Amino acid sequence: MALPQYHPHMWLEGQFVKTHNNLIFEVKGIVHPPERTIAYLRYVPNTQAYDKDTKASYIKMTDFSERTSFLSRHYPEFLWYSPVHHTVLQSVRVHDVHYVYDPIHFLESIRSMPSDNSIYAVAVDLCERLIDVSGLRWRDLGVTGSLLLGLATSASDIDLVVYGSKAAYTLHESLASDRSSVGLERYDGGFLLRHVEFRWGSLPRHLKQRMLEVESAKEFQGVFSGKDVFIRAVKSMKETKCEYGDLVFTPGERVSMVCRIESNLDAILTPCEYKATSLCGPSISTVVSYRGRFCEQAAVGSLVYVAGALETVFDTRSGTEVCRVIVGNDPRDCMVPLTNP
């Protein structure tokens, strides 16, 4: 979609933006500073200077430190110090955006495509089934990831996004009660082993074994028509009650601790949040992640082992301050349930 007139809530997780120099960034979160979006580099044009061994038009960048290093060397203008976060973030200024990839508009466009055996037809079929079982509207769902960008291959996953907390919980409950009619199979057997190894391969064996149980129980992922599927749930624009600057974040040291989960009402959303009480180490209020792999991770009452970074959050509106743990920004981060509730 063409770039609309700027307003402070135009950016939502699930969207991508292409810059005038053809870099593609993925929008992160739902709160963004004036005149720019917080977005992480995801694809760079393929040039011999970067990767001469592939014929792909774009190179996918997955490692966060690799993305930052690339931008530092070639496009430092996309590294910006945020006074609210007290750190350098990857971000794109509005006037540097050439094109906005919107998941909802894209799903609408591929619904009118002729039916065939393409991965796009499979994605539409899955969305139709999800709508049938949940009663959601088409405008509640979108297609994101490589399909949205036109960079999908036969091996690509299907990444969907559902917007709005109410729609997300309706869909989650529908899958929990009637998953078979959708045909979205849970990870099991070899698919489960491969999935856990991909997501949690760096964990010690005993913790990785625990993640087999966790990943097999998640509702917003699985296998459909032989394709890996992940459904990201994001609050709608009208649910965004916080402006950039209302909360001030101060990064702290790395920690590892055991916590008890007190509430997981936002566990299916991105960013996901778990209210938690630490049983050792610093006192915290929540465990938070902007990574989808940490969604649906722990039930209320369970004990979890958490490794991440401390962060102090000061609310400028109320004058209150809390401490939380952020997971997902470092390859060493993890959140593994140790007990069932």
Side-chain angles (χ1 to χ4, degrees):
M1 61 182 292
L3 181 64
Q5 184 177 0
Y6 169 78
H7 59 86
H9 295 301
M10 67 183 290
W11 310 113
L12 282 175
E13 180 108 12
Q15 297 172 334
F16 287 74
V17 296
K18 180 189 283 187
T19 66
H20 293 294
N21 40 22
N22 292 319
L23 303 177
I24 298 177
F25 290 75
E26 54 183 336
V27 174
K28 302 302 294 183
I30 54 179
V31 178
H32 299 270
E35 300 300 332
R36 67 173 62 235
T37 174
I38 298 171
Y40 295 168
L41 181 65
R42 192 60 169 175
Y43 290 90
V44 299
N46 182 23
T47 65
Q48 288 192 353
Y50 185 71
D51 190 341
K52 62 183 179 181
D53 296 323
T54 177
K55 296 180 180 179
S57 57
Y58 274 87
I59 305 298
K60 185 177 182 178
M61 306 191 79
T62 56
D63 182 77
F64 184 77
S65 60
E66 178 190 21
R67 306 185 208 189
T68 301
S69 176
F70 178 85
L71 290 175
S72 179
R73 294 194 311 269
H74 303 289
Y75 301 96
E77 64 269 26
F78 296 112
L79 296 175
W80 169 73
Y81 180 82
S82 168
V84 160
H85 297 86
H86 290 105
T87 192
V88 173
L89 299 176
Q90 297 181 29
S91 71
V92 180
R93 295 168 296 187
V94 170
H95 69 258
D96 286 327
V97 175
H98 173 67
Y99 190 83
V100 179
Y101 296 89
D102 184 81
I104 296 176
H105 290 172
F106 180 71
L107 175 56
E108 183 180 351
S109 70
I110 61 175
R111 285 177 61 199
S112 61
M113 293 171 57
S115 180
D116 55 22
N117 295 321
S118 71
I119 191 171
Y120 298 97
V122 174
V124 171
D125 181 24
L126 173 57
C127 289
E128 288 177 342
R129 293 169 182 245
L130 292 173
I131 287 173
D132 287 344
V133 77
S134 66
L136 294 186
R137 305 162 299 181
W138 278 100
R139 63 176 178 269
D140 295 323
L141 285 177
V143 173
T144 186
S146 60
L147 275 74
L148 171 62
L149 302 174
L151 299 176
T153 68
S154 58
S156 293
D157 301 342
I158 295 176
D159 294 307
L160 304 181
V161 59
V162 53
Y163 286 112
S165 298
K166 182 178 179 180
Y169 280 103
T170 296
L171 181 58
H172 192 267
E173 292 167 5
S174 299
L175 282 171
S177 62
D178 192 12
R179 194 179 185 94
S180 60
S181 65
V182 176
L184 181 59
E185 302 173 12
R186 295 188 186 278
Y187 281 115
D188 192 15
F191 280 104
L192 177 60
L193 291 172
R194 173 182 55 81
H195 177 73
V196 169
E197 186 63 33
F198 172 73
R199 278 193 170 177
W200 309 106
S202 61
L203 287 177
R205 179 177 296 181
H206 68 288
L207 294 181
K208 195 185 304 181
Q209 193 68 28
R210 179 64 172 147
M211 292 310 302
L212 290 171
E213 180 181 344
V214 173
E215 293 291 340
S216 66
K218 293 184 178 182
E219 301 295 347
F220 275 175
Q221 64 183 27
V223 179
F224 179 78
S225 295
K227 301 292 183 183
D228 287 284
V229 173
F230 180 72
I231 304 172
R232 186 179 304 275
V234 180
K235 289 182 178 180
S236 64
M237 288 183 179
K238 63 182 179 181
E239 292 178 287
T240 307
K241 300 177 182 179
C242 181
E243 300 286 345
Y244 176 83
D246 287 345
L247 302 177
V248 177
F249 309 90
T250 303
E253 62 183 355
R254 280 197 58 81
V255 293
S256 58
M257 61 177 66
V258 175
C259 304
R260 181 176 62 249
I261 302 300
E262 309 293 352
S263 171
N264 66 351
L265 289 179
D266 287 342
I268 70 171
L269 301 172
T270 302
C272 59
E273 179 177 291
Y274 303 83
K275 296 188 183 303
T277 300
S278 54
L279 303 185
C280 60
S283 176
I284 65 167
S285 63
T286 54
V287 178
V288 177
S289 181
Y290 289 83
R291 300 290 301 277
R293 68 178 60 191
F294 290 95
C295 293
E296 302 186 75
Q297 198 81 340
V300 174
S302 62
L303 299 182
V304 297
Y305 171 72
V306 176
L310 279 181
E311 184 176 68
T312 301
V313 184
F314 177 73
D315 191 323
T316 61
R317 299 162 297 182
S318 64
T320 57
E321 186 174 86
V322 297
C323 189
R324 65 184 190 176
V325 176
I326 300 290
V327 292
N329 293 338
D330 188 292
R332 298 169 292 175
D333 291 356
C334 67
M335 179 182 179
V336 183
L338 304 176
T339 66
N340 295 319

